[in-house]
Amino acid sequence: MGTVLSVNLGKARHCDAADVGVTAIDKHPVAGQVELRAPGPKEGGLGSGVVGDEICDQRHHGGDDQAVYAYAREDLDGWAAELGREIPGGMFGENLTTSGIDVNGARIGERWQVGDEAVLEVALPRIPCRTFADQMREQGWIKTFTQRALPGAYLRVVVPGRVRQGDPVTVLHRPDHDVTVALTFRALTLEPELLPQLLAADALPEKVREKARLRTAR
């Protein structure tokens, strides 16, 4: 069983690195309960699956397959030690900073109960972008982050509900395959030869499965 260490929300701010000139990647912990809901399609939907969290670029962020972003405190601590700086919860743009659950080792399609109400499903890894690099202010950050393959997980909202700091995170269902968040990330970035393995995960978004099918056909 894991724990939600913080629920983090972001507000739009100016960012020259962002395609749309603004970003809400810099998220901060909030007190009290926060509602999670399925936001609908990426473009034209509600944006974030976390009520009160802003999505500025709905072409690349938000939507049902990227409704909630989770990152493990254990991995943030590893980065903090490597970079020699404090990394507070929310700095990576994550909505849920967790403890005690292997986010990157989670299998695509794995379902988590968060608190008493919400059920979330692991959908795909986060892919780093220029906005993330601008947020971190570390030379070669995208390359460093990609090589480490600790991307954190985007989650779908299967059952809406309210969550808060301190809520337990329980794995309700673990699919019978070995396609993890980390493996999917590696396949989509530096190791495309792994793409055919992703077809074992039915819960991957169709766009990713199509990419895997094309690689398999070649």
Side-chain angles (χ1 to χ4, degrees):
M1 181 181 293
T3 305
V4 175
L5 294 184
S6 64
V7 181
N8 314 303
L9 305 182
K11 297 296 182 184
R13 64 167 173 81
H14 176 75
C15 177
D16 288 331
D19 289 345
V20 296
V22 289
T23 180
I25 191 174
D26 187 21
K27 303 189 189 301
H28 298 275
V30 295
Q33 292 184 319
V34 176
E35 183 182 352
L36 306 183
R37 72 322 196 209
K42 187 185 290 285
E43 295 186 74
L46 298 173
S48 176
V50 186
V51 174
D53 183 48
E54 294 187 11
I55 296 289
C56 299
D57 182 359
Q58 286 191 239
R59 183 174 171 222
H60 297 105
H61 302 287
D64 284 339
D65 291 330
Q66 299 178 13
V68 181
Y69 178 46
Y71 208 87
R73 182 69 251 177
E74 293 87 346
D75 293 326
L76 291 177
D77 288 343
W79 284 114
E82 179 175 337
L83 300 175
R85 56 187 279 198
E86 181 182 358
I87 300 183
M91 187 172 185
F92 274 27
E94 79 274 14
N95 301 113
L96 302 179
T97 308
T98 66
S99 176
I101 189 163
D102 186 0
V103 175
N104 293 298
R107 298 175 186 179
I108 302 299
E110 188 169 303
R111 291 194 174 188
W112 301 349
Q113 173 92 42
V114 182
D116 295 328
E117 301 173 353
V119 176
L120 308 180
E121 181 177 87
V122 177
L124 73 167
R126 179 253 199 90
I127 304 296
C129 61
R130 289 185 303 158
T131 305
F132 189 23
D134 180 78
Q135 164 85 342
M136 294 302 296
R137 305 287 182 177
E138 294 283 345
Q139 185 70 30
W141 176 247
I142 291 178
K143 181 179 179 180
T144 300
F145 187 84
T146 301
Q147 289 176 332
R148 201 70 78 252
L150 299 172
Y154 281 121
L155 308 163
R156 300 182 183 98
V157 179
V158 178
V159 178
R162 293 162 293 180
V163 300
R164 65 185 305 158
Q165 177 186 0
D167 275 348
V169 182
T170 306
V171 177
L172 295 179
H173 168 70
R174 182 170 282 125
D176 187 21
H177 60 67
D178 295 320
V179 182
T180 64
V181 170
L183 174 66
T184 304
F185 180 81
R186 289 163 53 205
L188 292 173
T189 55
L190 300 180
E191 302 177 62
E193 66 273 13
L194 298 176
L195 280 167
Q197 296 185 37
L198 304 188
L199 291 173
D202 292 337
L204 273 173
E206 180 55 30
K207 185 176 180 179
V208 177
R209 289 182 57 79
E210 179 60 23
K211 189 171 185 177
R213 282 193 289 266
L214 289 173
R215 178 75 184 199
T216 301
R218 286 206 299 269

